Amino acid sequence: MSTDDAHDPKFGEYGGQYVPEALMPAIEELADAYRRYVLENEDGFMDEFRERLADFGGRPTPLQYADQLSERYDTDVYLKREDLLHGGAHKLNNALGQVLLAKYMGKERIIAETGAGQHGTATAMAAAHLDMPCEIYMGETDIARQRPNVFRMRINGAEVNPVTVGRGTLKEAISETMRDWATTVETTHYVIGSVVGPHPFPKMVRDFQSVISEEAREQCIEKTGDLPDAVLACAGGGSNTMGTFAEFVDDSEVDLYAVEAGGSSLQVDEEKGVAPNSASLSTGGEGVLHGARTKLLQDRDGQIMESHSISAGLDYAGVGPELAHLVDEGRVTPVNVDDDAALEAFHRLSQDEGVIPALETAHAFGFLEGHHDEVGDTVVVNVSGRGDKDLETVIEETSKRDLDIAPDLSLFEQIGGGGR
Amino acid sequence: MSLEAAFADEPAFVPYLAAGDPTYGASLEYVEALARGGADVIELGLPFSEPIAEGKTIQDAIVRSLEAGMTPARFFEFVEDLDVDVPVVCMTYYNLIYQYGAEEGPGPFVERAAEVGIEGFVVPDLPAEEAGPLREACDEFGLDLVFIVAPTTRGERLETMMDQVSGYVYVQARLGVTGARDDVDDATEESLARLADWDVPKAVGFGIKTGEHAERIVSAGADGVIVGSALVDIVAEGHESGAPVDDVADELEAKARDLKEGALRGAQERPQPERT
């Protein structure tokens, strides 16, 4: 657990609480609950959280030696298997923590936003598990490309509210959830899905996710007798990234790589106000969005740009303020991988290791493919989630490209709809 | 005229429109029509792409304005082009204020605002805790900083805001986001009572739609009423139906008159202070 000051809303210049006045009492109440229950374990909150993470969530997740990749790269590659957590992604750590906290706080209703649907799914599961009513906001573009997760939320009893404004992705869903919260703040807890938003969310979400690095660090020492040379994690909002890095931040000999979505290009289309990537750590500027000062994709006037990634979970114009700070401090190295390389890495990990990764995760492996000579002799890569949710996207995007490594998809064309 | 002076003699009617909605030229006409209809202060929206405190009506207005090419630079030209003799307050989100100009921070934006004659700011995503740099820039250039007090604002936070607020205080009539409603929330009276000893005018906004609403709000003790969505609705309907700009302007002027007259009636209904 982090020892930084729970009351300090900033990470250097980043962070803060830039929210409508109606929400300020709620985030103050939340900051107090975070201090008491999470940091001080009042009423045994953290004991119950850890117990539920084990029994309901399936922790600890393994740290697996990747035989084929290690041989291919002549580097010992270890996979932190968050895809094996209940629900298929690291998201459950945070969702379970926050829904349980809402219960301790006496809240009656849960709301959340989701991009790829993994956070929405995890929140719906946690809410069902803890018997709380739950509504999820999701952009209509994301609903279309993440149908399996939409069904999973509904199956777990959550309402899914489509967001039609803007491009209908995570950015719009967050704004819409904040509007709901501003109306219902007295009875409702907003389960923010990443290390973004106003204080205390970035610290609290990091702490719930830091179980990843806590386990990975111990498991690595147990298996190798030492710390890894590098830790890699994909970065969208940054919850998986901060969770994977948190316990390594003080280990200065361990290099930390945050792998962002380079999308189709790092160049910005100023005319259309579109960034064809989601690389806010690599290319963004400082600004204020969704409650925090952080690095953002924005135009010269400060209007937020539409972002892009093949992966819905990385498709966001901002990033957590602590990551922005760690990048400025030189502790975290931001790198990026484009859509093509991520898709290729998706197929490689699936074929070489029998692990079908989320497209988010595939970005981290895309970086490893191109830079395995630079990351040292032992590297830990967080498999942030499993790729089942992305299969429709993968089929569609693979069919548009000439990828040597991809399976022959003509099988689908041959059988067409006749197999039904 | 200063903001406080606009509230001095009678209850103030404070309309909001998004600058440049649906076009630069039409929007100028609409704001001027509101002034003819009795506006005492005009809250002019500089649109931000992520307006988290706004309901659908104003979100849509912001999209129309941005699509029509509104930018901070154009906004300042807009204020210069406006032919009104009432104070103008800029309502926008902090990222636009922070990013303006070559120098980091709110200084260049506030300086430019002062140059074009803007009197103050309302910034919905900037609570008092984060407002220090903007407050300093406002002090340097002689502008007011209006804060929004919500029904949930209590205790020490009220004290912090009281220390920083100037011009007027924006009393949020109910929880939630902006948008016209068919009733007036009881939270308004409680909020006004909590602010009774503040020495700035209290203007109530969020959900006020009719002259009757304005009358009730002012009779409950408000020094002014802020109306946005009910006016933006008129702009939106005119835009969608393709109505001539003059007709929409006339409708806005009539609506402004109705709201201002409601506020004046409300003032007459207030209990008169006992003479000793």
Side-chain angles (χ1 to χ4, degrees):
Chain A
M1 194 60 56
S2 169
T3 54
D4 59 9
D5 181 2
H7 295 290
D8 185 356
K10 298 274 171 73
F11 304 94
E13 290 296 306
Y14 299 104
Q17 297 174 314
Y18 296 85
V19 294
E21 175 55 34
L23 294 180
M24 283 301 293
I27 62 175
E28 285 190 327
E29 181 191 356
L30 185 63
D32 184 55
Y34 163 58
R35 180 184 55 77
R36 286 164 44 210
Y37 295 120
V38 180
L39 299 180
E40 296 171 10
N41 194 27
E42 188 173 308
D43 297 340
F45 172 84
M46 285 303 288
D47 301 328
E48 181 174 351
F49 171 55
R50 293 294 173 126
E51 194 177 319
R52 287 182 187 273
L53 265 186
D55 295 346
F56 176 67
R59 298 213 75 92
T61 60
L63 184 74
Q64 178 210 337
Y65 183 72
D67 299 278
Q68 271 62 246
L69 288 187
S70 297
E71 190 178 338
R72 176 182 175 86
Y73 299 141
D74 194 21
T75 294
D76 286 333
V77 179
Y78 288 87
L79 311 181
K80 180 58 178 165
R81 297 291 307 276
E82 288 301 288
D83 59 316
L84 294 179
L85 190 66
H86 178 47
H90 72 290
K91 293 289 186 185
L92 186 74
N93 301 318
N94 169 49
L96 187 63
Q98 286 201 49
V99 176
L100 187 64
L101 187 66
K103 216 162 171 98
Y104 272 59
M105 291 169 71
K107 298 290 179 183
E108 297 163 10
R109 172 176 175 259
I110 294 296
I111 55 172
E113 90 300 316
T114 196
Q118 286 295 66
H119 173 58
T121 300
T123 305
M125 283 175 168
H129 173 62
L130 293 165
D131 194 23
M132 293 275 271
C134 175
E135 286 182 48
I136 309 288
Y137 289 88
M138 187 168 184
E140 59 180 359
T141 305
D142 289 337
I143 288 178
R145 59 180 171 175
Q146 299 290 341
R147 290 193 305 170
N149 271 339
V150 177
F151 285 122
R152 290 208 292 171
M153 287 177 243
R154 297 287 294 121
I155 288 165
N156 283 124
E159 293 294 328
V160 178
N161 303 323
V163 178
T164 56
V165 294
R167 205 164 62 87
T169 59
L170 181 58
K171 172 167 77 72
E172 290 81 15
I174 292 178
S175 292
E176 203 56 38
T177 317
M178 284 200 162
R179 292 188 184 100
D180 180 319
W181 201 29
T183 311
T184 59
V185 64
E186 289 165 314
T187 57
T188 298
H189 176 67
Y190 172 12
V191 181
I192 286 188
S194 193
V195 287
V196 300
H199 172 75
F201 283 106
K203 289 188 175 184
M204 185 174 72
V205 175
R206 173 203 64 196
D207 288 351
F208 286 140
Q209 291 291 4
S210 67
V211 64
I212 302 170
S213 49
E214 188 183 302
E215 285 176 8
R217 194 175 182 283
E218 282 172 18
Q219 289 164 327
C220 187
I221 292 172
E222 201 175 291
K223 283 177 186 273
T224 71
D226 206 350
L227 291 168
D229 295 311
V231 177
L232 272 60
C234 59
S239 74
N240 138 73
T241 332
M242 278 314 306
T244 309
F245 291 172
E247 297 296 322
F248 290 107
V249 166
D250 292 337
D251 298 322
S252 57
E253 68 272 36
V254 180
D255 294 333
L256 306 175
Y257 292 93
V259 188
E260 298 192 288
S264 56
S265 166
L266 288 184
Q267 298 301 313
V268 163
D269 185 338
E270 288 279 353
E271 193 77 0
K272 290 183 184 163
V274 172
N277 59 72
S278 303
S280 36
L281 285 172
S282 309
T283 68
E286 190 184 329
V288 174
L289 176 66
H290 291 145
R293 179 185 299 254
T294 187
K295 287 182 187 283
L296 303 174
L297 300 176
Q298 57 187 329
D299 68 15
R300 277 170 296 204
D301 290 329
Q303 305 289 3
I304 307 305
M305 287 197 174
E306 299 295 348
S307 56
H308 163 79
S309 169
I310 193 173
S311 160
L314 300 182
D315 194 350
Y316 179 57
V319 66
E322 186 172 14
L323 265 176
H325 176 63
L326 290 171
V327 164
D328 279 6
E329 296 278 289
R331 181 66 192 95
V332 167
T333 306
V335 294
N336 58 81
V337 161
D338 66 17
D339 288 346
D340 293 347
L343 193 61
E344 203 172 311
F346 171 93
H347 289 298
R348 185 173 303 108
L349 191 67
S350 302
Q351 289 172 28
D352 282 3
E353 297 293 344
V355 173
I356 301 175
L359 278 171
E360 291 89 330
T361 304
H363 285 73
F365 287 95
F367 177 74
L368 189 61
E369 171 74 11
H371 299 268
H372 51 85
D373 290 343
E374 303 158 24
V375 294
D377 296 330
T378 310
V379 57
V380 170
V381 187
N382 191 35
V383 183
S384 58
R386 69 179 190 220
D388 309 39
K389 69 183 173 66
D390 292 322
L391 293 183
E392 285 189 36
T393 306
V394 169
I395 291 168
E396 189 187 328
E397 295 292 331
T398 301
S399 66
K400 291 181 196 165
R401 293 166 169 84
D402 185 20
L403 289 180
D404 289 342
I405 194 170
D408 181 4
L409 298 177
S410 62
L411 179 67
F412 292 108
E413 288 156 24
Q414 287 166 26
I415 59 175
R420 291 187 187 171
Chain B
M1 186 192 283
S2 76
L3 290 180
E4 278 204 46
F7 289 79
D9 299 329
E10 55 185 32
F13 164 52
V14 184
Y16 165 95
L17 283 181
D21 170 30
T23 64
Y24 188 96
S27 186
L28 275 176
E29 299 281 331
Y30 296 161
V31 176
E32 287 167 7
L34 293 174
R36 287 196 300 276
D40 298 289
V41 174
I42 288 163
E43 282 186 3
L44 198 57
L46 164 57
F48 177 50
S49 55
E50 315 303 318
I52 56 175
E54 316 297 351
K56 187 173 185 323
T57 303
I58 293 179
Q59 274 185 69
D60 289 348
I62 282 170
V63 169
R64 287 192 297 270
S65 170
L66 287 172
E67 285 180 352
M70 184 50 70
T71 63
R74 289 282 282 161
F75 179 83
F76 290 129
E77 287 171 26
F78 186 93
V79 176
E80 284 182 316
D81 288 345
L82 261 184
D83 183 16
V84 296
D85 60 359
V86 294
V88 172
V89 168
C90 168
M91 185 157 186
T92 194
Y93 287 75
Y94 192 56
N95 201 44
L96 298 190
I97 295 176
Y98 185 80
Q99 302 298 342
Y100 187 83
E103 180 192 326
E104 199 174 75
F109 189 94
V110 178
E111 183 175 11
R112 179 76 182 120
E115 277 170 16
V116 300
I118 286 169
E119 293 288 342
F121 298 103
V122 182
V123 189
D125 66 341
L126 194 70
E129 286 79 353
E130 306 287 357
L134 181 59
R135 178 72 265 177
E136 280 173 30
C138 284
D139 288 344
E140 183 181 348
F141 296 102
L143 271 69
D144 286 315
L145 185 54
V146 174
F147 283 96
I148 299 174
V149 171
T152 45
T153 312
R154 289 198 166 62
E156 281 178 24
R157 302 212 59 259
L158 273 180
E159 303 289 320
T160 310
M161 291 164 80
M162 191 168 72
D163 290 344
Q164 296 205 42
V165 72
S166 66
Y168 58 95
V169 58
Y170 188 140
V171 182
Q172 185 178 330
R174 54 175 172 72
L175 280 177
V177 292
T178 55
R181 294 290 192 282
D182 290 324
D183 58 351
V184 174
D185 202 297
D186 292 340
T188 309
E189 290 183 28
E190 290 171 31
S191 295
L192 285 169
R194 285 206 306 282
L195 307 180
D197 56 352
W198 287 32
D199 62 359
V200 290
K202 291 114 200 148
V204 174
F206 274 51
I208 298 170
K209 188 177 173 184
T210 65
E212 284 70 35
H213 290 166
E215 183 179 343
R216 280 183 53 189
I217 296 280
V218 171
S219 68
D223 300 304
V225 291
I226 302 169
V227 182
S229 295
L231 301 168
V232 173
D233 276 338
I234 294 172
V235 174
E237 282 160 20
H239 177 63
E240 280 156 23
S241 68
V245 168
D246 287 351
D247 291 359
V248 178
D250 288 347
E251 199 177 336
L252 284 166
E253 185 179 339
K255 183 74 179 174
R257 193 160 287 122
D258 173 46
L259 289 158
K260 174 70 184 181
E261 284 169 0
L264 290 171
R265 285 196 304 277
Q268 289 164 2
E269 291 163 17
R270 280 184 191 176
Q272 296 301 311
E274 286 179 25
R275 292 179 188 278
T276 53

